[in-house]
Amino acid sequence: QSVLTQPPSMSAAPGQKVTISCSGSSSNIGDNFVSWYQQLPGTAPKLLIYDNTERPSDIPDRFSGSKSGTSASLAITGLQTGDEADYYCGTWDSSLNIGVLGGGTRVTVL
Amino acid sequence: QVQLVQSGAEVKKPGASVKLSCKTSGYTFTSYYVHWFRQAPGQGLEWLGEIRPWGGSTNYAEKFQGRITLTRDTSTTTVYMQLNSLDSEDTALYYCARDGSGTLHFWFDSWGQGTLVTVSS
């Protein structure tokens, strides 16, 4: 049972948009920055979004992050077959002093 | 460039301990937190703990309290993760990762390649 709640799976056609939600509480998402990761099969996770909305320089602007209150979202626009992967959100929990992650969302491109 | 290189695969019997290493390079070792994660076959990522290389203080996931120890060697810029009393549920791919923020913004821009730990009798 993950501390942060993500939908297990989402799917959309190429070129469409998916928005992955990540729900937490006041002591984690509500009080700290959220990051997002993409994990392709057999590889280590890759940083997509940090500090809620920031993108590393090598990440295309098709990926964007947002946060409101105790929830965060990752949007992927112009979906491509190469975007088929597992996506995870993460943050720090200030009350428990631990890192917390979502259970992951598998994105399928139809 | 920033690199984290982990030690090789391990096979352990139930009840044994394992100690994994994560050799870092390409940055100031004492300026960035290092965290450990694991991923059981077909499962999601799980956070294990973090260490602050400048002083060696740590935080661990409650689930592993008493069973996990993170240490560091500043002379070799290496972080270690020891997990005791292994059972089959500890079979997983273990990752170390650097928190790129230098604080606890909890974002990881560099990851080790992963170490597979198999626990089997």
Side-chain angles (χ1 to χ4, degrees), chain B residues 52-68:
Chain B
R52 306 168 191 203
W54 53 93
S57 61
T58 56
N59 279 302
Y60 302 126
E62 184 177 6
K63 175 179 178 179
F64 301 100
Q65 287 278 0
R67 204 160 71 91
I68 187 173

Side-chain angles (χ1 to χ4, degrees), chain A residues 20-33:
Chain A
I20 302 170
S21 60
C22 175
S23 177
S25 70
S26 58
S27 63
N28 43 64
I29 291 180
D31 197 34
N32 293 285
F33 292 101

Side-chain angles (χ1 to χ4, degrees), chain A residues 4 28-29 32-37 47-52 88-94 97-102, chain B residues 33-37 45-50 59 97-109 111:
Chain A
L4 305 181
N28 43 64
I29 291 180
N32 293 285
F33 292 101
V34 176
S35 56
W36 289 89
Y37 304 86
L47 179 66
L48 289 179
I49 297 290
Y50 66 97
D51 288 357
N52 303 330
Y88 296 89
C89 58
T91 188
W92 189 252
D93 190 298
S94 304
N97 273 331
I98 59 171
V100 291
L101 296 163
Chain B
Y33 295 67
V34 174
H35 295 236
W36 286 81
F37 300 82
L45 285 171
E46 182 174 27
W47 182 81
L48 303 181
E50 57 91 3
N59 279 302
R98 183 189 84 151
D99 187 327
S101 70
T103 60
L104 269 180
H105 283 207
F106 201 81
W107 53 266
F108 305 98
D109 57 350
W111 294 72

Side-chain angles (χ1 to χ4, degrees), chain B residues 20-23 29 34 36 51 71-72 77-81:
Chain B
L20 309 182
S21 67
C22 173
K23 165 68 177 168
F29 177 69
V34 174
W36 286 81
I51 185 166
T71 56
R72 93 288 188 225
T77 66
T78 302
V79 175
Y80 299 92
M81 192 282 296

Side-chain angles (χ1 to χ4, degrees), chain A residues 1-73:
Chain A
Q1 189 81 0
S2 301
V3 173
L4 305 181
T5 301
Q6 296 180 235
S9 63
M10 301 190 74
S11 60
Q16 296 301 301
K17 175 182 180 180
V18 293
T19 302
I20 302 170
S21 60
C22 175
S23 177
S25 70
S26 58
S27 63
N28 43 64
I29 291 180
D31 197 34
N32 293 285
F33 292 101
V34 176
S35 56
W36 289 89
Y37 304 86
Q38 177 193 62
Q39 188 176 33
L40 299 169
T43 68
K46 179 179 183 178
L47 179 66
L48 289 179
I49 297 290
Y50 66 97
D51 288 357
N52 303 330
T53 61
E54 301 301 305
R55 250 187 343 267
S57 59
D58 62 331
I59 302 301
D61 59 6
R62 299 188 299 107
F63 295 89
S64 63
S66 64
K67 176 184 139 177
S68 178
T70 60
S71 293
S73 295

